[in-house]
Amino acid sequence: MKNKTYLKATFREITKSKGRFIAIILIIFLGTLLYVGIKTTQPVLDHSADVYLKERKLSDLQVVSTGGITNADKDVLDDITGLSIESGYQFFYADAKKNEVIQVFSYDQENDQNHLELTSGALPKKDNEILLDHLAKKEGYKIGDTYTINDHEQLKSTQFKIVGFVTSPLFISEVERGYANVGNGSVSYFAYLPKKLFKAEVEAVMYLSFANVKKYETYSNAYKEQMAKNTALIEDKLSQRPNARLKEIQADATEKLRLQKEKIATGKKELENAQEQLQQAKDKLALQAAQISLLPEPQKTAAQQELTTALKQLATNEATLKKNQSELATGTAEIKKTEATIKNMKEIVYRYNDRFDNVGFQEFGSLSDRIAAIADVFPVFFFFIAALITFTTMTRMVEENRREIGTLKALGYTKAEIAKKYVIYSLLAASIGLVLGVVSGTNFLPRIIFYLMSDRYSFNKAYVFYDWDPILKAIIAFLLATLGSALIVLTKELREKPAQLLQPKAPKPGKRIFLEYITPLWSRLSFNQKVSYRNLFRYKARMLMAIIGIAGCTGLMLAGFGLKDSLSSVAAKQFGPIIAYQGIVSLEDDLPAADTTAITNALKNDEQVTSFMASHNETVEIRKNNQATQSLTLMVPTAAKEFEDYLHLHNKDNKVISLTNTGAVITKKMAEFYDIKKGDTLYIYDSKQQKQQIKIAGIVQNYLGSFLYMTRPYYEKVSNQKFSANSLLLKTNKMTTKEEDNLAQVLLDTKKVVNTTFISKQIETQNQSISNLNAIVWILVTLSGLLAFVVLYNLTNINISERVRELSTIKVLGFFDKEVTMYIIRENIIFTILGIIAGFGVGRVLTHFILDKASMENMVFPLVIKPAAYLYSGGLTIIFTLIVMFVTHFKLKHINMIDALKSNE
């Protein structure tokens, strides 16, 4: 009966202090929701992508050869256990009239990899049917329309019927389709045609799927590590194939050349015979012409007619002979040209593209990683503030119940029985908050973020699951904050005797504060102001906790706004302050200087191009023991001084760095990754895996990509290679998208350009990529604002409950309601102002820490917090303070003064 009665008292405590109980639940709920939700988002995004890709059976590796894929390539890989091999055709087709570039693939319904998914229509059943990328609908194409591809070299037909629209796991981005070396250089969409329609003798790509990675999730480190081994194995197996394939092509070409030579030889003999016959015919006709004059007149006319007919035939035969001689000469010249081509054939190149080379794949993974980086800092700090306020609330609650604890001890209740109430209270509040937070955080935040990203990626469903690591951490943290705080205070209180507990705790003695020593200021303060300032320093713990709580919440909101500002400033910091050129033209490899005339003429003829400069661009690698190999772009301009107009290099102190012949300049993030300092010696590996030793002459700021810069003389010195330009940097006036596409088309038409990339498209892509994080930032800001409101309300509520006798006393003494309210609010205003000021510092430090965690090898986020961010975060905190002020005023008006003053009796 005793325990039953005590249990009722426990629940009566909850109903009596509903505001505090609900506040504890809300704080735990918000902290758990954000922590578990954001920490679960990356695993959910990665898992959802993995489920989609496994359902669609995306190949793990694609092997593309400039010499095509043959059965010999597949035979080399036959002995690899668990390897599945498929192959197909692909090529780029440019439609100049529509200004479109289409990547055409072969379709084979027997294939087990890279499954297409119909968004509408049906799969091809006839040879003249085509499937189009579902993005082609935006261009006005419909099922049943006739689609034209005028490429007689690649295809057996040109007219096709559209039967369906599809998505492909090779393209997970819904925004871009990659780049091409034809047309305007940018793929508009893809198409699939039945395999039998392709003319080529050899296929273009080989798709590989490995059994030993199926148990791993695509974005996991385990998958990446195993695929690195798999790729190395494939590269090793095919290492001899480039040379062998070159010999095969040369042998085939030589055989065809032999047949042509035989045909030419036969033609020469036939031509010689024809020439002899023609000469004989000429001699015969000359003899006949001489004999006509000796004939009688009646026979002369008929003989003359026969001679005329014969001469006409002779002229025809002579014309045919000349034509054959011309064709024979052309054939002989072509043979010589073919011989030279065979002799000078370029080495066959095999390219190995894993899943991360697919369009949009790396971007999605990077976005997921950035969310994880934010989750490692922001929610943890949020969680810390929530736990701290919860700890404070529970501690104050136990301290307020000293008299009740003393009474129960006097009545004979054991320490365990007395503690049971607070254990139940703590567990109930924590359990409700944790359950609501875990369920909401797991089921809503990842889904919301996935939904907001869905317009950029093909993934159609979020596969949500409970990630027990953050859940368990949340449970432990909040149980410590609630139950732990209650038990800590109880342990202290229960040591005291009932008589001591039944007496109210002696108030802290009043002391002179620092302001009192400043007489001119202190004398001008009103009585109420003096009381408020004395109370502030009298209860330092309460003041400190309030300031910490408000500063934490303001800092969280500022960090949210700061993240938005910083993430959106990457492009602005990179393009303009650093990169001053507007485009890069990629030239064919080993292009002689004489062959660039058409390109330079095209650039000079374009009114929008103001200048251009040649450079050598190459991907190189840095390797260091116990660290992952990293790639970066090597840029070698033709003239270092001119290069300063195209690229502005600055060190961390914003001092201009110039390229010199004594060393290379490297970007900051890569230098930090490898602990590289100015003056260090570094080994790099070029595209041919040749090792080069370089000296670092400077470290420069950069936000997108990783770069290494050298002068032309220094490059030739360290590489032992003669400089050859393979790129052109363009400076232009502001161009429209149409003008950029037209220039790209003109350059590609020279047949000497591989691709033209404009900075405007990079800026657009970067801004679109970063925009995905805006949703997360707004979620963080909203939840931080809610936490700030609950914290302010809770701290004010604690302040009132602790000082209810004091407040009742001044009401009895005749203070008006507004004066009583200001007695509390004045302190809150000071707490709020100090908290906001401290919060600005906390928010800046927190933003910097998150950005540092979120930055990667190829992307660095600048710390940019605009004045509006300070205004919003501080303003919201003030608004929450005003709302709490209004609620406090209403509550103080209804204090029962008699009950409060009799509470100690």
Side-chain angles (χ1 to χ4, degrees), residues 177-358:
R177 288 293 183 251
Y179 298 99
N181 57 358
V182 298
N184 58 28
S186 181
V187 178
S188 306
Y189 49 88
F190 59 80
Y192 278 82
L193 285 168
K195 204 170 187 178
K196 59 179 72 176
L197 287 179
F198 290 77
K199 281 184 176 181
E201 295 178 2
V202 293
E203 294 169 314
V205 59
M206 181 162 54
Y207 302 105
L208 306 180
S209 179
F210 298 87
N212 61 6
V213 295
K214 293 191 183 301
K215 61 184 177 183
Y216 303 126
E217 294 220 332
T218 298
Y219 286 102
S220 68
N221 290 330
Y223 176 87
K224 295 174 185 175
E225 289 169 5
Q226 186 58 56
M227 274 308 301
K229 295 176 183 177
N230 291 342
T231 304
L233 175 62
I234 298 300
E235 290 179 0
D236 182 62
K237 288 280 188 181
L238 294 174
S239 60
Q240 304 302 316
R241 284 297 301 153
N243 189 46
R245 181 61 185 142
L246 179 61
K247 290 180 178 178
E248 290 171 10
I249 294 173
Q250 288 175 329
D252 290 342
T254 302
E255 176 61 21
K256 290 178 182 178
L257 188 63
R258 185 185 65 80
L259 296 175
Q260 288 178 350
K261 284 181 176 179
E262 289 180 357
K263 186 176 179 181
I264 292 293
T266 302
K268 283 182 178 180
K269 289 181 180 180
E270 291 176 352
L271 189 62
E272 289 174 359
N273 293 334
Q275 285 175 330
E276 289 180 5
Q277 291 173 7
L278 184 64
Q279 188 59 45
Q280 290 174 3
K282 283 183 178 180
D283 294 342
K284 183 178 179 181
L285 289 176
L287 182 62
Q288 288 177 356
Q291 292 176 347
I292 285 176
S293 59
L294 303 175
L295 292 176
E297 196 63 35
Q299 297 177 358
K300 186 182 289 187
T301 302
Q304 188 65 46
Q305 288 178 349
E306 288 178 6
L307 180 61
T308 301
T309 302
L311 286 171
K312 286 181 180 180
Q313 184 61 45
L314 181 65
T316 301
N317 292 343
E318 190 169 15
T320 302
L321 182 63
K322 287 182 179 180
K323 182 181 177 183
N324 290 340
Q325 284 176 326
S326 177
E327 289 178 353
L328 191 63
T330 301
T332 303
E334 286 180 356
I335 286 175
K336 289 182 178 179
K337 187 177 179 180
T338 304
E339 285 178 333
T341 301
I342 293 172
K343 184 179 179 181
N344 299 319
M345 270 187 179
K346 290 183 180 179
E347 183 180 350
I348 301 299
V349 177
Y350 280 66
R351 296 194 303 273
Y352 303 88
N353 302 324
D354 61 20
R355 289 182 173 183
F356 290 86
D357 293 308
N358 288 359

Side-chain angles (χ1 to χ4, degrees), residues 21-52:
F21 187 72
I22 292 171
I24 293 172
I25 290 174
L26 281 175
I27 291 171
I28 295 173
F29 164 70
L30 290 172
T32 306
L33 180 143
L34 186 62
Y35 179 73
V36 172
I38 297 295
K39 291 290 281 185
T40 304
T41 296
Q42 188 208 19
V44 166
L45 292 180
D46 290 350
H47 179 66
S48 300
D50 185 68
V51 171
Y52 171 88

